[in-house]
Structures are given as structure tokens and as C-alpha cells.
Amino acid sequence: MYLKKEDEKILRGEQGLGYQKAMEVLVAIGDIFGAENLIEISSSHLSSVAYESSGDTGIRFLERMIEDGAHFKVLTTLNPHSIEYDRWKELAFPEVYVRKQLRNIEAYKKLGAVGTFTCTPFLVGKCPRYGEHVSWAESSALSYINTVIGARTNRESALSALCAGLIGKTPQYGLHLDENRKGTVLVDVKTELRHGSDYSAMGYNVGKKVESKVPVFNNIHQDVRGSDINALCAALAVSGAVPMSHIIGITPEAPTLEKAFRNDNPEEKITFDRVDLEETYEDRCMKESGIDVDLAVLGCPHYWYDQLAETAKLLNGKKIHKDVDLWVNTSSSIMTVAKRTGYIDIIETSGAKVICSYYPAITRNFFGWKTMATDSTKQTFYGHGVLGVDVLFGTTEQVINAAISGKWGEKV
Amino acid sequence: MIKGRKVSKGRGAGEALVTTQTISFLAGVDPDRGVVIDRAHELSGQCITGKILVFPRGKGSTGGTWIIMRLADNKTAPAAIINIETDLITAIGSILAGIFLIDKLDEDPTLLIKTGDYVIVDADESIVKILTQ
């Protein structure tokens, strides 16, 4: 990979060990993927800022970076992590663990990162433009900005995005180049999608089939909500490793099928129909109706205003079951405005909690939960795999009804 | 002696632990004990510490990079890694943790190398030597 003189100096360690390590990583990535050079980026977003993932090693690594004088060169934001930042005392997170997570976050902040603690940074003051090169981790967010905005990022890892943020550049390969953004698999949508969870189900089903290829969705309604596309992107990246999709008429690079495939033929054609949709709901439910639920999770990815409004409407005047925790996840920025609007008071009066920086599937099970209901296939995946609970997947209304009755599938 | 591609510099030797399955480090390997904890994996319950770990590539959450760095910090890491073709998670983890990593050998290492073989990885010279027991 070609390096400019200034980058070679960094690689030789002339700006300290921290920047040298970061440059070594970028050069290695460039060599592995055959990049010809580094390009400038305008922002980075970091995942895996959870103490649960990085442990004491993460704290030592970041504090050493600070000692070496490293600092982010571009706007760098942070994903949710292992504790509720503002309410950890009230929610009884173990204090020893909290102290570790706070020290980890403090190190990121000293390096210059912004404490967004959200998986939807594009909603809270950092939205890239069409064609802009960025380096984002968090599979749902990076897929969303590639798909809906036409910004350009690869599927970065927690640490490749960190190194890119420190240098302000990333190797030019993959989705930074036109030819790799072309669609490869045609997905013909042959069923009506009525709920946000339908998009989450479709993403999970299609992601398994297309793995890391670029799917092209045909016949999705032009008035689909942004939050539904967000759910679709999140699910595609969990069961597969899809870094971007084309949605005909919505993705800027895909006004027509011809444009999406760049005048080439699809390598593969698949359909998504009613049966696929129903099978996915069944597949993501580990238990039958009637089972007791003790955790209900909404907001994976973090909820938008319209989803909080819908949640408030469904919970208005209701009380959730005494043995159930209903946690609704969103970013602090969205929460502040939603509170002003009145949604949050309605939701919390029911006994539910609006959670703003913690992601209840990347951390150990502090609260002894056994069975979780959710409207997100991503949440079912990590809930079962990391939190270790049995999972139930349904519409937002079904999840809220389960939180009210304490049982899955029972109408209120 | 087989030629490959250097990903993470250095030279290591040890007993091989070989799998034809990809590895998810996050939630798949315990960084404190260096043991594979993914119950669905064929190496489930086996210790990777000090071994020459041979597998196709990494998969799963990119937080796996942190797990590789924790393995090195806890002195529970493999002595070196050989991949068929490495991935971002394993490559970056190995570089930052100082674990020697080589990939793209002339032959498929997961078939060529057997568990228990004594293997020398010289990433600096981009070569692997297998001394079958």
C-alpha cells in the first residue's frame, strides 16, 4: 500500500507509540485487502466499548494510548455499553463492575470520543453525507448509512474504527470503491410487511441466505419508515454479515434495478414471501404461548421517535406485570426530546424503564432473567447467545402485551 | 517447509491444535482460561494456550478482537496462529496482541497439519515448518 511521507513518519513512530500502533493496524488491513492507499475520513464510530468485551485489557490499552499522546483526529462516537450510565444506582448494577465500565468510558473520552452511547449515531448529531467516506463499526449503523444515505464505510471492527479515528484515514478498499457497492442478489419481496418486526424478520431470513453479499430489495413500499429500514439492516448483519443493501427507490445508488446491479445480471435471485415471514417468527421463538416472561426488550436498534410514540400509545393507562422488566432502549438525545413531548412519562408510569446507554445483550445476566420477549431478531440472537435467556420474538404489541400479562401470547 | 503470507510479525513454535471450523472469539473463547467455550464447536473445552492454533478464519462479533488481546494480556494466548485466509477480527487482534499470524499457505493448513504436530511459525520469513510427531 502506498503511504504519504507524513504517514510513513507515523509508522516509524515519530508521533509516538499510540499513533504508530494505529498506523501498523491500518497498513496491515490495507495489505490484507489489497488497498492501494489510505483515504481521509470525516468520522468514526466505535462498537465494543463494553467493559464486558474488552475487560481490564481494554482499560490498559486505552490508558496507554492516552499516555502516548494519542487523540482522535475526526469526530468519534461511542456505542452503548455494559451499564446504564445515568441510572446504574437506581437499577442496582454492581458497583465494582460499574467503576470498571466508567473508567473505560473515561479513557475513550480522554482520547476525544463523544459520549453518545448509541447504536444510531446518525440520529444524534453525526449524519454523514452522500458519498462521504467514514469508518464505522456497529453493524446496524454502518449498514444503514451505506444503504439509506449512500455514505461509504466498510464493516469495521471495534479496533479498526478506533485506529482509523486516531489517524483520520482508512485503507481504500471494499465499499469505498464503486465496483464493490453493486448489488449481487435480487430479493423479490412478495409479502406485505406491516410491522417493524416484519422487517427485522425479513432481514434475519435473508441475511442467512446472502451472507456477506449485497442484496437488492425489490417491492418495498416507498413510504417505509426509517426505523423499519434500521431494523432490516440490523438483522441482515446478525444472521449474515451484510454491510449494505439496495432498496429500489430508496437507496440513492438504486433508483432502478438496472442502476442497483450496475447494468449487470444478479448472481442469484431469491424471494421473501408470507411463508418465509411466518417461519422466521416461529424460528426465533424458543417457547410456546403461555410461558412466563420476566424480561421484555424493545429498542434494538435504539428506538426512534415514532417507535417511542407507538410504545407510549400501547402502554397508555396500563400497568406492566410485577414480575416483568420492560426495558425500552433509545439514545439520551432522543429520550430528552421524547420526555419533553410526554412519551417517556406515559411509558414509565406503566412501570417500564427507558434505558439510554446500556444494551441488554452484551453484558452478563446481572438480574437473573430467564425468558425474554422482544420485537428484534438481533436481540433474540444475542439474548440467547450472550445473556443466556430463552427468547421469544413477536410484534411490538405482542411484546408489550406479554409485559402486561406476564405471559407470552396472551391478549390483554 | 511451506510458504505463506505474514500478517503479524514474529516467530513461534509449539504443538498444533487444528480445526476445520471457523472460531468466534467473543462468547466463543474464555479469555481468562484460554479455553474454547462455544459448545457447538469441535474444540469445545480445549485449551488454546501455548498452542499453534490452526483454523480457517475468525467469525462473529468484532468485539472478538478484544478477546484475542485479553488472551495475550492474561498469558493464555496461543503461541501463534495459522489461518487459511485471515479476517479483520483475528488479524487486528493478533497484531495488537503481538501474536504471530501467518495465512495463505500454499496448501490448506487445516488439512495439512494434524493436532499434536510440532510446528514452527516464522511469520517474519513467511514460512511454516511441520515436524510430524
Side-chain angles (χ1 to χ4, degrees):
Chain A
M1 186 166 69
Y2 168 80
L3 288 182
K4 288 186 176 169
K5 283 230 163 64
E6 69 210 48
D7 297 329
E8 278 179 352
K9 280 186 186 168
I10 295 174
L11 191 59
R12 284 199 298 269
E14 289 183 21
Q15 287 190 27
L17 268 172
Y19 288 117
Q20 184 182 26
K21 273 271 172 221
M23 186 58 88
E24 273 179 24
V25 166
L26 296 185
V27 168
I29 297 168
D31 287 342
I32 291 169
F33 293 102
E36 287 178 5
N37 55 296
L38 294 172
I39 45 165
E40 292 193 357
I41 55 166
S42 58
S43 72
S44 79
H45 179 74
L46 311 186
S47 63
S48 287
V49 297
Y51 172 71
E52 189 68 32
S53 310
S54 59
D56 292 338
T57 300
I59 293 173
R60 278 194 290 271
F61 175 83
L62 296 167
E63 290 181 349
R64 210 173 303 136
M65 279 277 179
I66 298 164
E67 280 167 28
D68 289 339
H71 200 271
F72 291 117
K73 291 262 189 343
V74 294
L75 181 60
T76 298
T77 46
L78 302 173
N79 237 21
H81 45 72
S82 299
I83 59 162
E84 218 309 331
Y85 189 74
D86 299 307
R87 300 169 79 174
W88 60 267
K89 265 198 185 129
E90 173 200 338
L91 295 168
F93 279 84
E95 185 153 352
V96 176
Y97 193 89
V98 170
R99 295 283 162 220
K100 296 277 194 183
Q101 178 67 69
L102 291 176
R103 190 169 155 194
N104 175 294
I105 291 165
E106 210 45 50
Y108 279 111
K109 288 201 277 194
K110 279 191 184 138
L111 284 171
V114 182
T116 46
F117 310 142
T118 180
C119 50
T120 56
F122 47 87
L123 292 181
V124 302
K126 191 182 73 169
C127 193
R129 293 185 301 274
Y130 174 79
E132 199 166 332
H133 296 282
V134 300
S135 180
W136 283 27
E138 174 45 46
S139 58
S140 64
L142 70 91
S143 172
Y144 183 89
I145 61 168
N146 274 322
T147 301
V148 178
I149 297 165
R152 298 187 169 205
T153 178
N154 280 317
R155 191 173 196 261
E156 299 295 349
S157 86
L159 281 142
S160 64
L162 184 139
C163 293
L166 289 171
I167 300 293
K169 293 177 184 177
T170 192
Q172 189 171 26
Y173 72 97
L175 294 180
H176 293 289
L177 303 170
D178 284 345
E179 63 264 30
N180 301 316
R181 298 176 68 84
K182 114 178 164 178
T184 46
V185 182
L186 177 63
V187 185
D188 203 2
V189 181
K190 292 196 155 172
T191 182
E192 196 192 348
L193 302 167
R194 292 181 299 142
H195 308 285
S197 53
D198 290 354
Y199 288 86
S200 186
M202 179 166 76
Y204 200 86
N205 181 282
V206 172
K208 261 199 272 191
K209 293 172 185 163
V210 304
E211 293 178 346
S212 58
K213 292 176 188 151
V214 179
V216 177
F217 290 91
N218 199 19
N219 297 321
I220 287 186
H221 274 293
Q222 299 300 293
D223 56 359
V224 55
R225 301 186 304 178
S227 53
D228 293 338
I229 304 179
N230 199 9
L232 173 68
C233 290
L236 283 162
V238 166
S239 65
V242 176
M244 90 167 277
S245 306
H246 291 280
I247 304 173
I248 299 301
I250 288 168
T251 300
E253 290 150 272
T256 61
L257 277 172
E258 292 71 29
K259 286 258 164 58
F261 288 105
R262 293 187 189 254
N263 295 318
D264 226 336
N265 289 320
E267 285 172 18
E268 207 183 324
K269 292 181 186 177
I270 58 173
T271 55
F272 181 80
D273 59 23
R274 189 88 223 149
V275 176
D276 294 318
L277 183 65
E278 281 165 8
E279 276 180 5
T280 310
Y281 273 94
E282 269 172 40
D283 172 56
R284 299 317 299 159
C285 270
M286 295 175 60
K287 298 279 172 182
E288 303 290 323
S289 299
I291 182 96
D292 288 343
V293 168
D294 56 5
L295 172 65
V297 175
L298 301 172
C300 170
H302 273 173
Y303 260 6
W304 297 36
Y305 295 127
D306 50 358
Q307 295 166 307
L308 289 174
E310 185 187 349
T311 305
K313 199 173 156 194
L314 290 165
L315 282 171
N316 197 5
K318 308 271 173 56
K319 283 281 174 209
I320 68 160
H321 194 275
K322 62 175 178 38
D323 299 329
V324 180
D325 288 315
L326 170 56
W327 286 16
V328 184
N329 298 276
T330 191
S331 59
S332 308
S333 312
I334 301 269
M335 201 279 279
T336 303
V337 178
K339 187 163 177 58
R340 225 176 264 159
T341 314
Y343 304 151
I344 304 301
D345 286 346
I346 295 172
I347 293 170
E348 296 220 327
T349 300
S350 77
K353 294 265 188 301
V354 179
I355 303 289
C356 291
S357 50
Y358 164 72
Y359 173 45
I362 47 175
T363 308
R364 67 193 68 178
N365 193 339
F366 288 126
F367 306 103
W369 294 311
K370 289 188 177 66
T371 310
M372 175 186 75
T374 177
D375 63 351
S376 157
T377 52
K378 177 170 182 170
Q379 184 70 27
T380 62
F381 182 82
Y382 287 112
H384 181 57
V386 181
L387 205 55
V389 293
D390 287 337
V391 294
L392 300 157
F393 171 63
T395 64
T396 307
E397 189 172 8
Q398 252 178 306
V399 172
I400 287 175
N401 285 348
I404 293 168
S405 70
K407 287 191 189 301
W408 182 244
E410 284 187 7
K411 293 262 178 271
V412 180
Chain B
M1 192 176 84
I2 312 134
K3 277 203 77 63
R5 172 177 75 165
K6 171 184 90 173
V7 176
S8 176
K9 64 191 175 193
R11 194 170 180 277
E15 203 178 290
L17 181 63
V18 185
T19 173
T20 55
Q21 295 178 341
T22 54
I23 294 178
S24 169
F25 283 92
L26 190 74
V29 178
D30 177 347
D32 295 329
R33 297 181 298 133
V35 169
V36 177
I37 49 171
D38 176 356
R39 281 192 210 140
H41 203 280
E42 65 181 12
L43 294 185
S44 181
Q46 300 221 42
C47 182
I48 62 172
T49 306
K51 299 282 167 60
I52 305 293
L53 186 62
V54 185
F55 60 104
R57 70 188 63 79
K59 65 166 177 181
S61 167
T62 65
T65 304
W66 284 121
I67 303 298
I68 297 172
M69 291 167 68
R70 286 168 73 178
L71 287 165
D73 229 12
N74 294 337
K75 311 220 177 320
T76 53
I81 292 173
I82 304 175
N83 285 157
I84 295 178
E85 186 170 359
T86 197
D87 66 286
L88 207 60
I89 301 165
T90 313
I92 299 175
S94 300
I95 291 165
L96 290 174
I99 299 168
F100 321 130
L101 169 61
I102 190 165
D103 75 344
K104 289 195 162 178
L105 303 190
D106 295 334
E107 290 176 67
D108 182 342
T110 65
L111 302 176
L112 187 69
I113 304 169
K114 305 283 177 237
T115 290
D117 285 351
Y118 191 81
V119 176
I120 299 167
V121 173
D122 191 336
D124 293 341
E125 298 293 328
S126 301
I127 54 169
V128 170
K129 284 182 198 162
I130 306 165
L131 308 169
T132 309
Q133 283 189 333

